[in-house]
Amino acid sequence: MVRHFLTNLTIKQKLILISLLTTGIVLLLASLVLITQEIISFRSSLVNDLTIQAEIVGNNSTATLSFNDKKAAEEILSALRAAQNIMNAVIYSRDGKVFAKYKRYDVQVDFLPPAPQEDGYRFGIDHLSVFHRIILDNKPIGTIYIQSDLKAIYSRLIWYAGSLIMVMIM
């Protein structure tokens, strides 16, 4: 059928078709490269933001850990509700036990805090996790764990896909 279609076209129509296909493929590839670059940049920005939040909360938690004030630690963690992307947060004591927890009001799944780990971040399918040591007088006195959802990345992907489809249709 395609072969029959191509044989009935004039040379002018074949050249126009080749030009349209080439332009479409180049546009698609350029869009995919830009989207990929944007997603990589956005992921890096998310990691940076979450790491900074962990460092701020950790620095504000040194006194609560030093004086074993769990109520104050929970109040510090409750300030994370201002960041709508943060799902869960945990402050661990020096011995690795859960000292205080935060859970976003709309998170339905029961949260089992992971064991404290070295400083760093990890991406899951639907979340980003950051561990950050809490330091006082150059000695670790605890760890903070913050878990963020990835709704912002997924909504951006959907927006880019929709935009790409609209550009290709036009």
Side-chain angles (χ1 to χ4, degrees), residues 60-73 76 91 99:
N60 289 333
S61 302
T62 56
T64 63
L65 283 166
S66 296
F67 295 110
N68 200 30
D69 189 351
K70 292 182 181 192
K71 185 171 174 20
I76 290 169
I91 295 176
F99 186 73

Side-chain angles (χ1 to χ4, degrees), residues 26-164:
V26 168
L27 180 62
L28 179 65
L29 290 175
S31 296
L32 291 175
V33 167
L34 289 173
I35 289 170
T36 302
Q37 187 275 332
E38 180 66 22
I39 295 301
I40 290 169
S41 173
F42 193 65
R43 281 175 55 122
S44 176
S45 175
L46 278 177
V47 168
N48 188 48
D49 290 348
L50 203 59
T51 301
I52 289 170
Q53 288 173 333
E55 190 170 337
I56 290 169
V57 172
N59 288 340
N60 289 333
S61 302
T62 56
T64 63
L65 283 166
S66 296
F67 295 110
N68 200 30
D69 189 351
K70 292 182 181 192
K71 185 171 174 20
E74 288 172 355
E75 288 176 21
I76 290 169
L77 286 178
S78 72
L80 292 171
R81 71 176 169 268
Q84 295 176 343
N85 60 316
I86 295 179
M87 298 166 42
N88 298 294
V90 178
I91 295 176
Y92 300 93
S93 59
R94 178 180 289 128
D95 60 1
K97 293 186 175 153
V98 173
F99 186 73
K101 289 196 300 187
Y102 163 78
K103 180 178 172 183
R104 190 173 67 199
Y105 70 93
D106 65 339
V107 174
Q108 302 297 322
V109 180
D110 285 336
F111 173 67
L112 269 148
Q117 299 174 19
E118 292 296 316
D119 288 7
Y121 67 91
R122 288 144 194 88
F123 277 96
I125 293 172
D126 62 347
H127 67 276
L128 165 63
S129 301
V130 169
F131 281 94
H132 183 74
R133 282 181 295 159
I134 301 171
I135 306 291
L136 180 64
D137 296 330
N138 294 324
K139 295 178 185 169
I141 61 168
T143 304
I144 182 152
Y145 169 81
I146 301 180
Q147 183 185 61
S148 170
D149 64 31
L150 297 177
K151 288 180 184 175
I153 286 180
Y154 291 136
S155 65
R156 242 182 215 210
L157 276 173
I158 291 169
W159 188 85
Y160 285 137
S163 297
L164 178 60

